[in-house]
Amino acid sequence: MDSDSTFSIIKPDAVSKGYAGRILARITDAGFTITALRMVRLTRQQAEDFYYVHRERGFYRGLVEFMSSAPVIVMVLRKANAVEEFRRLIGSTDPACADQGTIRADFATDVQKNAVHGSDSPENAGREASFFFPAIEIF
Ligand code: UDP
Ligand code: MG
């Protein structure tokens, strides 16, 4: 995946609270184009596989439990310098530290239930996008 695409998830907390529409509006208002989108409920196994890089971290079990607890919205987004621009739009992992006006500052509950995922590199964006979408479903 080139550096102009990133991968995102609207997490169970935000979908359950009815924030998906407002979060999608923030994303498109910030100049991102949605190039793939689907609602899905992750199995525990799929959540474990998606977050495999964090398997040694203390928060891993809770994260897997949370991410498989309810439906999420997965998507691929396009904009120049998408990975960095999207991380700026969502703010810090812990919403208590997130800049004012960021998606996490406005919609997250806590450091785990932080409303959205955003890839941290173009390489991971490609890996994460292909976890959910075949190439022919990314427009
Ligand atoms: N997380 C958590 N506790 C922590 C740190 C992270 O529950 O102390 C969760 C949180 O949902 C976060 C995800 O694990 O979004 C992945 O962590 P990472 O450090 O990659 O943060 P992100 O890249 O999402 O900002
Ligand atoms: Mg991360």
Side-chain angles (χ1 to χ4, degrees):
M1 178 156 287
D2 63 51
S3 63
D4 291 345
S5 286
T6 192
F7 172 80
S8 176
I9 302 176
I10 303 179
K11 295 186 179 184
D13 57 321
V15 173
S16 299
K17 288 176 173 173
Y19 294 154
R22 287 157 69 189
I23 291 172
L24 286 168
R26 290 278 186 100
I27 292 169
T28 52
D29 286 351
F32 290 87
T33 301
I34 298 167
T35 54
L37 184 144
R38 189 165 75 251
M39 188 175 228
V40 62
R41 167 98 185 249
L42 296 181
T43 63
R44 176 181 295 267
Q45 183 66 58
Q46 287 166 337
E48 285 175 357
D49 292 347
F50 184 80
Y51 281 112
Y52 186 73
V53 292
H54 292 312
R55 67 194 175 283
E56 309 291 353
R57 309 291 296 274
F59 60 77
Y60 181 69
R61 298 310 320 170
L63 175 62
V64 165
E65 183 79 24
F66 163 57
M67 290 300 292
S68 58
S69 67
V72 299
I73 293 172
V74 294
M75 59 194 148
V76 180
L77 302 169
R78 189 156 188 84
K79 186 185 182 178
N81 199 19
V83 167
E84 206 179 311
E85 290 286 306
F86 192 70
R87 296 284 299 197
R88 199 197 329 274
L89 180 68
I90 68 178
S92 299
T93 307
D94 184 348
C97 305
D99 288 344
Q100 214 178 355
T102 59
I103 291 174
R104 282 168 166 168
D106 291 342
F107 298 106
T109 301
D110 57 36
V111 68
Q112 177 193 69
K113 296 175 176 59
N114 60 2
V116 283
H117 167 82
S119 304
D120 62 7
S121 70
E123 295 70 32
N124 283 337
R127 186 182 64 78
E128 292 170 1
S130 65
F131 188 92
F132 292 98
F133 299 103
I136 59 164
E137 290 182 13
I138 301 174
F139 302 93

Short mmCIF file of all heavy atoms in Angstrom, two decimals, residues 58-114:
data_model
loop_
_atom_site.label_atom_id
_atom_site.label_comp_id
_atom_site.label_asym_id
_atom_site.label_seq_id
_atom_site.Cartn_x
_atom_site.Cartn_y
_atom_site.Cartn_z
N GLY A 58 0.86 -5.95 28.61
CA GLY A 58 -0.10 -6.22 29.69
C GLY A 58 -1.54 -5.96 29.29
O GLY A 58 -2.46 -6.57 29.84
N PHE A 59 -1.75 -5.06 28.34
CA PHE A 59 -3.12 -4.69 27.95
C PHE A 59 -3.71 -5.59 26.88
O PHE A 59 -4.86 -5.42 26.48
CB PHE A 59 -3.18 -3.22 27.50
CG PHE A 59 -2.32 -2.87 26.31
CD1 PHE A 59 -2.71 -3.20 25.01
CD2 PHE A 59 -1.12 -2.17 26.47
CE1 PHE A 59 -1.95 -2.86 23.91
CE2 PHE A 59 -0.34 -1.83 25.37
CZ PHE A 59 -0.75 -2.18 24.09
N TYR A 60 -2.93 -6.59 26.39
CA TYR A 60 -3.34 -7.40 25.23
C TYR A 60 -4.65 -8.15 25.45
O TYR A 60 -5.56 -8.08 24.62
CB TYR A 60 -2.21 -8.37 24.87
CG TYR A 60 -2.48 -9.25 23.67
CD1 TYR A 60 -2.55 -8.73 22.38
CD2 TYR A 60 -2.65 -10.63 23.82
CE1 TYR A 60 -2.77 -9.55 21.28
CE2 TYR A 60 -2.87 -11.45 22.73
CZ TYR A 60 -2.93 -10.91 21.46
OH TYR A 60 -3.15 -11.72 20.37
N ARG A 61 -4.78 -8.90 26.58
CA ARG A 61 -6.00 -9.70 26.82
C ARG A 61 -7.23 -8.81 26.84
O ARG A 61 -8.26 -9.11 26.23
CB ARG A 61 -5.92 -10.47 28.14
CG ARG A 61 -4.83 -11.50 28.28
CD ARG A 61 -4.69 -12.48 27.16
NE ARG A 61 -5.95 -12.97 26.59
CZ ARG A 61 -6.01 -13.70 25.47
NH1 ARG A 61 -4.91 -14.00 24.81
NH2 ARG A 61 -7.16 -14.10 25.00
N GLY A 62 -7.13 -7.70 27.57
CA GLY A 62 -8.26 -6.78 27.66
C GLY A 62 -8.60 -6.16 26.31
O GLY A 62 -9.78 -5.98 25.98
N LEU A 63 -7.57 -5.86 25.55
CA LEU A 63 -7.77 -5.26 24.22
C LEU A 63 -8.50 -6.24 23.30
O LEU A 63 -9.45 -5.86 22.60
CB LEU A 63 -6.41 -4.87 23.64
CG LEU A 63 -6.40 -4.34 22.20
CD1 LEU A 63 -7.21 -3.05 22.09
CD2 LEU A 63 -4.95 -4.11 21.74
N VAL A 64 -8.07 -7.50 23.31
CA VAL A 64 -8.70 -8.53 22.48
C VAL A 64 -10.17 -8.71 22.89
O VAL A 64 -11.07 -8.79 22.03
CB VAL A 64 -7.91 -9.86 22.58
CG1 VAL A 64 -8.72 -11.03 22.04
CG2 VAL A 64 -6.57 -9.73 21.86
N GLU A 65 -10.41 -8.76 24.19
CA GLU A 65 -11.77 -8.89 24.72
C GLU A 65 -12.65 -7.74 24.23
O GLU A 65 -13.76 -7.94 23.72
CB GLU A 65 -11.68 -8.89 26.26
CG GLU A 65 -12.97 -9.09 26.99
CD GLU A 65 -13.39 -10.56 27.02
OE1 GLU A 65 -12.51 -11.44 26.89
OE2 GLU A 65 -14.59 -10.79 27.15
N PHE A 66 -12.14 -6.52 24.40
CA PHE A 66 -12.86 -5.31 23.98
C PHE A 66 -13.13 -5.30 22.48
O PHE A 66 -14.27 -5.08 22.05
CB PHE A 66 -12.05 -4.08 24.39
CG PHE A 66 -12.43 -2.80 23.72
CD1 PHE A 66 -13.73 -2.31 23.78
CD2 PHE A 66 -11.48 -2.06 23.02
CE1 PHE A 66 -14.08 -1.12 23.14
CE2 PHE A 66 -11.82 -0.88 22.38
CZ PHE A 66 -13.12 -0.41 22.44
N MET A 67 -12.12 -5.58 21.67
CA MET A 67 -12.27 -5.46 20.21
C MET A 67 -13.20 -6.51 19.62
O MET A 67 -13.71 -6.33 18.52
CB MET A 67 -10.90 -5.49 19.54
CG MET A 67 -10.06 -4.25 19.78
SD MET A 67 -10.82 -2.70 19.20
CE MET A 67 -10.78 -2.94 17.42
N SER A 68 -13.41 -7.62 20.37
CA SER A 68 -14.32 -8.66 19.87
C SER A 68 -15.68 -8.60 20.58
O SER A 68 -16.51 -9.49 20.39
CB SER A 68 -13.67 -10.04 20.05
OG SER A 68 -13.35 -10.28 21.41
N SER A 69 -15.93 -7.54 21.35
CA SER A 69 -17.13 -7.47 22.18
C SER A 69 -18.38 -7.00 21.45
O SER A 69 -19.50 -7.20 21.93
CB SER A 69 -16.88 -6.54 23.38
OG SER A 69 -16.71 -5.20 22.95
N ALA A 70 -18.22 -6.36 20.30
CA ALA A 70 -19.34 -5.75 19.57
C ALA A 70 -18.85 -5.37 18.17
O ALA A 70 -17.64 -5.36 17.93
CB ALA A 70 -19.85 -4.52 20.33
N PRO A 71 -19.77 -5.04 17.25
CA PRO A 71 -19.33 -4.72 15.88
C PRO A 71 -18.43 -3.49 15.80
O PRO A 71 -18.52 -2.58 16.64
CB PRO A 71 -20.65 -4.45 15.14
CG PRO A 71 -21.69 -5.18 15.93
CD PRO A 71 -21.24 -5.09 17.36
N VAL A 72 -17.59 -3.51 14.79
CA VAL A 72 -16.73 -2.38 14.46
C VAL A 72 -16.94 -2.00 13.00
O VAL A 72 -17.55 -2.76 12.25
CB VAL A 72 -15.23 -2.72 14.69
CG1 VAL A 72 -14.96 -3.07 16.14
CG2 VAL A 72 -14.78 -3.86 13.76
N ILE A 73 -16.42 -0.83 12.62
CA ILE A 73 -16.43 -0.43 11.21
C ILE A 73 -14.98 -0.32 10.76
O ILE A 73 -14.20 0.42 11.37
CB ILE A 73 -17.19 0.90 11.02
CG1 ILE A 73 -18.68 0.69 11.31
CG2 ILE A 73 -17.00 1.43 9.59
CD1 ILE A 73 -19.50 1.95 11.35
N VAL A 74 -14.63 -1.12 9.75
CA VAL A 74 -13.26 -1.12 9.24
C VAL A 74 -13.24 -0.36 7.91
O VAL A 74 -14.20 -0.42 7.14
CB VAL A 74 -12.72 -2.55 9.07
CG1 VAL A 74 -12.59 -3.23 10.42
CG2 VAL A 74 -13.59 -3.41 8.15
N MET A 75 -12.16 0.37 7.68
CA MET A 75 -12.12 1.16 6.44
C MET A 75 -10.69 1.47 5.99
O MET A 75 -9.76 1.45 6.78
CB MET A 75 -12.89 2.46 6.63
CG MET A 75 -12.40 3.33 7.75
SD MET A 75 -13.61 4.62 8.15
CE MET A 75 -13.30 4.78 9.89
N VAL A 76 -10.57 1.75 4.71
CA VAL A 76 -9.33 2.23 4.12
C VAL A 76 -9.58 3.67 3.68
O VAL A 76 -10.64 3.99 3.14
CB VAL A 76 -8.89 1.34 2.93
CG1 VAL A 76 -7.59 1.85 2.34
CG2 VAL A 76 -8.74 -0.11 3.38
N LEU A 77 -8.61 4.53 3.97
CA LEU A 77 -8.76 5.96 3.74
C LEU A 77 -7.62 6.47 2.88
O LEU A 77 -6.48 6.01 3.02
CB LEU A 77 -8.74 6.70 5.08
CG LEU A 77 -9.81 6.26 6.07
CD1 LEU A 77 -9.52 6.86 7.45
CD2 LEU A 77 -11.20 6.68 5.58
N ARG A 78 -7.94 7.44 2.03
CA ARG A 78 -6.93 7.96 1.12
C ARG A 78 -6.79 9.48 1.27
O ARG A 78 -7.77 10.21 1.32
CB ARG A 78 -7.35 7.61 -0.31
CG ARG A 78 -6.32 7.89 -1.34
CD ARG A 78 -6.53 7.03 -2.60
NE ARG A 78 -5.38 7.22 -3.46
CZ ARG A 78 -4.24 6.56 -3.33
NH1 ARG A 78 -4.11 5.63 -2.42
NH2 ARG A 78 -3.24 6.83 -4.12
N LYS A 79 -5.56 9.92 1.37
CA LYS A 79 -5.22 11.34 1.42
C LYS A 79 -3.69 11.43 1.30
O LYS A 79 -3.01 10.47 1.68
CB LYS A 79 -5.65 11.96 2.77
CG LYS A 79 -5.47 13.47 2.88
CD LYS A 79 -5.80 14.02 4.26
CE LYS A 79 -5.64 15.53 4.27
NZ LYS A 79 -5.98 16.14 5.57
N ALA A 80 -3.15 12.54 0.84
CA ALA A 80 -1.69 12.69 0.81
C ALA A 80 -1.15 12.50 2.22
O ALA A 80 -1.69 13.07 3.18
CB ALA A 80 -1.31 14.06 0.25
N ASN A 81 -0.09 11.70 2.36
CA ASN A 81 0.54 11.46 3.66
C ASN A 81 -0.46 10.93 4.69
O ASN A 81 -0.49 11.36 5.85
CB ASN A 81 1.18 12.77 4.15
CG ASN A 81 2.22 12.56 5.20
OD1 ASN A 81 2.75 11.45 5.34
ND2 ASN A 81 2.52 13.60 5.95
N ALA A 82 -1.28 9.98 4.24
CA ALA A 82 -2.46 9.55 5.01
C ALA A 82 -2.15 9.03 6.42
O ALA A 82 -2.87 9.38 7.37
CB ALA A 82 -3.20 8.46 4.23
N VAL A 83 -1.11 8.22 6.56
CA VAL A 83 -0.84 7.62 7.88
C VAL A 83 -0.61 8.71 8.93
O VAL A 83 -1.25 8.73 9.98
CB VAL A 83 0.37 6.66 7.81
CG1 VAL A 83 0.86 6.27 9.20
CG2 VAL A 83 0.00 5.41 7.01
N GLU A 84 0.31 9.62 8.63
CA GLU A 84 0.65 10.69 9.57
C GLU A 84 -0.53 11.64 9.79
O GLU A 84 -0.84 12.03 10.93
CB GLU A 84 1.84 11.45 9.00
CG GLU A 84 2.70 12.14 10.02
CD GLU A 84 3.86 12.85 9.34
OE1 GLU A 84 4.55 12.23 8.50
OE2 GLU A 84 4.06 14.04 9.63
N GLU A 85 -1.19 12.04 8.69
CA GLU A 85 -2.32 12.96 8.79
C GLU A 85 -3.45 12.35 9.63
O GLU A 85 -4.09 13.05 10.42
CB GLU A 85 -2.86 13.27 7.39
CG GLU A 85 -1.94 14.13 6.56
CD GLU A 85 -1.97 15.57 7.04
OE1 GLU A 85 -3.06 16.15 7.13
OE2 GLU A 85 -0.88 16.10 7.34
N PHE A 86 -3.68 11.05 9.48
CA PHE A 86 -4.77 10.43 10.22
C PHE A 86 -4.43 10.29 11.70
O PHE A 86 -5.28 10.51 12.57
CB PHE A 86 -5.15 9.06 9.62
CG PHE A 86 -6.44 8.53 10.17
CD1 PHE A 86 -7.65 9.13 9.84
CD2 PHE A 86 -6.45 7.45 11.04
CE1 PHE A 86 -8.85 8.67 10.37
CE2 PHE A 86 -7.64 6.98 11.58
CZ PHE A 86 -8.84 7.58 11.24
N ARG A 87 -3.17 9.95 12.00
CA ARG A 87 -2.76 9.87 13.42
C ARG A 87 -2.92 11.25 14.08
O ARG A 87 -3.30 11.34 15.24
CB ARG A 87 -1.30 9.40 13.53
CG ARG A 87 -1.05 7.99 13.01
CD ARG A 87 -1.52 6.91 13.94
NE ARG A 87 -0.89 6.92 15.22
CZ ARG A 87 -0.89 5.89 16.07
NH1 ARG A 87 -1.50 4.76 15.75
NH2 ARG A 87 -0.33 5.98 17.24
N ARG A 88 -2.66 12.31 13.34
CA ARG A 88 -2.85 13.66 13.89
C ARG A 88 -4.33 13.93 14.16
O ARG A 88 -4.70 14.50 15.19
CB ARG A 88 -2.28 14.71 12.93
CG ARG A 88 -2.02 16.04 13.61
CD ARG A 88 -1.84 17.23 12.68
NE ARG A 88 -1.27 16.92 11.39
CZ ARG A 88 0.03 16.86 11.14
NH1 ARG A 88 0.89 17.05 12.11
NH2 ARG A 88 0.45 16.59 9.92
N LEU A 89 -5.19 13.51 13.23
CA LEU A 89 -6.64 13.73 13.36
C LEU A 89 -7.22 12.97 14.56
O LEU A 89 -8.13 13.48 15.23
CB LEU A 89 -7.34 13.27 12.07
CG LEU A 89 -8.87 13.44 12.01
CD1 LEU A 89 -9.26 14.92 11.98
CD2 LEU A 89 -9.43 12.71 10.79
N ILE A 90 -6.70 11.77 14.86
CA ILE A 90 -7.29 10.99 15.95
C ILE A 90 -6.72 11.36 17.31
O ILE A 90 -7.39 11.23 18.32
CB ILE A 90 -7.21 9.45 15.71
CG1 ILE A 90 -5.80 8.91 15.75
CG2 ILE A 90 -7.93 9.10 14.42
CD1 ILE A 90 -5.74 7.37 15.55
N GLY A 91 -5.48 11.83 17.38
CA GLY A 91 -4.89 12.22 18.66
C GLY A 91 -4.24 11.06 19.40
O GLY A 91 -4.24 9.92 18.93
N SER A 92 -3.71 11.35 20.59
CA SER A 92 -2.95 10.37 21.38
C SER A 92 -3.79 9.18 21.78
O SER A 92 -5.01 9.29 21.94
CB SER A 92 -2.40 11.03 22.64
OG SER A 92 -1.55 12.08 22.30
N THR A 93 -3.11 8.05 22.02
CA THR A 93 -3.77 6.80 22.44
C THR A 93 -4.67 7.02 23.65
O THR A 93 -5.81 6.54 23.68
CB THR A 93 -2.70 5.74 22.77
OG1 THR A 93 -1.80 5.63 21.67
CG2 THR A 93 -3.32 4.39 23.07
N ASP A 94 -4.15 7.72 24.64
CA ASP A 94 -4.92 8.03 25.86
C ASP A 94 -5.67 9.35 25.64
O ASP A 94 -5.04 10.39 25.49
CB ASP A 94 -3.96 8.16 27.05
CG ASP A 94 -4.70 8.39 28.35
OD1 ASP A 94 -5.92 8.68 28.33
OD2 ASP A 94 -4.04 8.30 29.41
N PRO A 95 -6.99 9.29 25.60
CA PRO A 95 -7.76 10.52 25.31
C PRO A 95 -7.49 11.66 26.29
O PRO A 95 -7.65 12.82 25.95
CB PRO A 95 -9.22 10.06 25.36
CG PRO A 95 -9.21 8.78 26.12
CD PRO A 95 -7.87 8.14 25.85
N ALA A 96 -7.04 11.30 27.51
CA ALA A 96 -6.72 12.34 28.49
C ALA A 96 -5.53 13.18 28.03
O ALA A 96 -5.37 14.33 28.46
CB ALA A 96 -6.41 11.70 29.85
N CYS A 97 -4.71 12.62 27.14
CA CYS A 97 -3.53 13.33 26.62
C CYS A 97 -3.76 13.85 25.20
O CYS A 97 -2.87 14.49 24.62
CB CYS A 97 -2.33 12.40 26.60
SG CYS A 97 -1.95 11.64 28.18
N ALA A 98 -4.90 13.53 24.60
CA ALA A 98 -5.14 13.87 23.19
C ALA A 98 -5.42 15.37 23.03
O ALA A 98 -6.08 15.98 23.86
CB ALA A 98 -6.31 13.05 22.65
N ASP A 99 -4.89 15.95 21.97
CA ASP A 99 -5.11 17.37 21.69
C ASP A 99 -6.60 17.67 21.53
O ASP A 99 -7.36 16.84 21.03
CB ASP A 99 -4.39 17.78 20.40
CG ASP A 99 -2.88 17.83 20.57
OD1 ASP A 99 -2.41 17.83 21.72
OD2 ASP A 99 -2.18 17.84 19.54
N GLN A 100 -6.97 18.88 21.93
CA GLN A 100 -8.34 19.35 21.78
C GLN A 100 -8.76 19.26 20.31
O GLN A 100 -7.97 19.57 19.42
CB GLN A 100 -8.38 20.82 22.22
CG GLN A 100 -9.67 21.20 22.87
CD GLN A 100 -9.66 22.66 23.33
OE1 GLN A 100 -8.64 23.33 23.25
NE2 GLN A 100 -10.80 23.12 23.80
N GLY A 101 -9.99 18.82 20.08
CA GLY A 101 -10.51 18.77 18.71
C GLY A 101 -10.19 17.49 17.97
O GLY A 101 -10.66 17.28 16.86
N THR A 102 -9.38 16.62 18.58
CA THR A 102 -9.10 15.34 17.93
C THR A 102 -10.27 14.37 18.18
O THR A 102 -11.07 14.57 19.10
CB THR A 102 -7.79 14.70 18.45
OG1 THR A 102 -7.90 14.49 19.86
CG2 THR A 102 -6.58 15.59 18.14
N ILE A 103 -10.34 13.35 17.35
CA ILE A 103 -11.45 12.39 17.46
C ILE A 103 -11.42 11.68 18.81
O ILE A 103 -12.46 11.51 19.46
CB ILE A 103 -11.38 11.37 16.29
CG1 ILE A 103 -11.73 12.09 14.97
CG2 ILE A 103 -12.35 10.20 16.53
CD1 ILE A 103 -11.55 11.23 13.71
N ARG A 104 -10.24 11.28 19.27
CA ARG A 104 -10.17 10.61 20.56
C ARG A 104 -10.52 11.55 21.71
O ARG A 104 -11.20 11.16 22.66
CB ARG A 104 -8.80 9.97 20.76
CG ARG A 104 -8.66 8.65 19.98
CD ARG A 104 -7.24 8.16 19.92
NE ARG A 104 -7.15 6.75 19.49
CZ ARG A 104 -6.00 6.17 19.15
NH1 ARG A 104 -4.86 6.84 19.17
NH2 ARG A 104 -5.99 4.91 18.78
N ALA A 105 -10.09 12.79 21.64
CA ALA A 105 -10.44 13.74 22.70
C ALA A 105 -11.95 13.89 22.80
O ALA A 105 -12.50 14.02 23.90
CB ALA A 105 -9.79 15.10 22.43
N ASP A 106 -12.63 13.84 21.68
CA ASP A 106 -14.07 14.12 21.66
C ASP A 106 -14.96 12.89 21.81
O ASP A 106 -16.10 13.00 22.25
CB ASP A 106 -14.44 14.85 20.37
CG ASP A 106 -13.87 16.27 20.34
OD1 ASP A 106 -13.52 16.78 21.42
OD2 ASP A 106 -13.79 16.85 19.25
N PHE A 107 -14.45 11.68 21.43
CA PHE A 107 -15.33 10.51 21.42
C PHE A 107 -14.84 9.32 22.24
O PHE A 107 -15.60 8.38 22.46
CB PHE A 107 -15.57 10.05 19.97
CG PHE A 107 -16.26 11.08 19.11
CD1 PHE A 107 -15.56 11.79 18.14
CD2 PHE A 107 -17.61 11.35 19.30
CE1 PHE A 107 -16.19 12.75 17.35
CE2 PHE A 107 -18.25 12.30 18.51
CZ PHE A 107 -17.55 13.01 17.54
N ALA A 108 -13.58 9.32 22.69
CA ALA A 108 -13.06 8.16 23.42
C ALA A 108 -13.52 8.17 24.86
O ALA A 108 -13.85 9.22 25.43
CB ALA A 108 -11.54 8.15 23.36
N THR A 109 -13.51 6.97 25.47
CA THR A 109 -13.87 6.80 26.88
C THR A 109 -12.61 6.78 27.75
O THR A 109 -12.52 7.47 28.76
CB THR A 109 -14.64 5.48 27.07
OG1 THR A 109 -15.81 5.52 26.25
CG2 THR A 109 -15.04 5.26 28.52
N ASP A 110 -11.64 5.95 27.35
CA ASP A 110 -10.38 5.81 28.11
C ASP A 110 -9.29 5.27 27.19
O ASP A 110 -9.52 5.16 25.98
CB ASP A 110 -10.59 4.93 29.36
CG ASP A 110 -11.12 3.54 29.03
OD1 ASP A 110 -10.73 2.97 27.98
OD2 ASP A 110 -11.91 3.01 29.83
N VAL A 111 -8.15 4.93 27.76
CA VAL A 111 -6.99 4.52 26.95
C VAL A 111 -7.26 3.23 26.16
O VAL A 111 -6.68 3.03 25.10
CB VAL A 111 -5.71 4.41 27.82
CG1 VAL A 111 -5.83 3.24 28.80
CG2 VAL A 111 -4.45 4.30 26.98
N GLN A 112 -8.14 2.36 26.67
CA GLN A 112 -8.51 1.16 25.91
C GLN A 112 -9.66 1.47 24.94
O GLN A 112 -9.56 1.23 23.74
CB GLN A 112 -8.94 0.03 26.85
CG GLN A 112 -9.39 -1.21 26.10
CD GLN A 112 -10.11 -2.21 27.01
OE1 GLN A 112 -11.22 -1.96 27.49
NE2 GLN A 112 -9.45 -3.32 27.28
N LYS A 113 -10.73 2.00 25.46
CA LYS A 113 -11.92 2.30 24.65
C LYS A 113 -11.74 3.68 24.02
O LYS A 113 -12.40 4.65 24.39
CB LYS A 113 -13.17 2.24 25.53
CG LYS A 113 -13.42 0.84 26.08
CD LYS A 113 -14.59 0.80 27.05
CE LYS A 113 -14.89 -0.61 27.51
NZ LYS A 113 -13.76 -1.27 28.19
N ASN A 114 -10.81 3.72 23.06
CA ASN A 114 -10.41 5.03 22.53
C ASN A 114 -10.94 5.32 21.12
O ASN A 114 -10.33 6.04 20.34
CB ASN A 114 -8.89 5.19 22.62
CG ASN A 114 -8.13 4.13 21.83
OD1 ASN A 114 -8.74 3.30 21.18
ND2 ASN A 114 -6.82 4.19 21.89
#
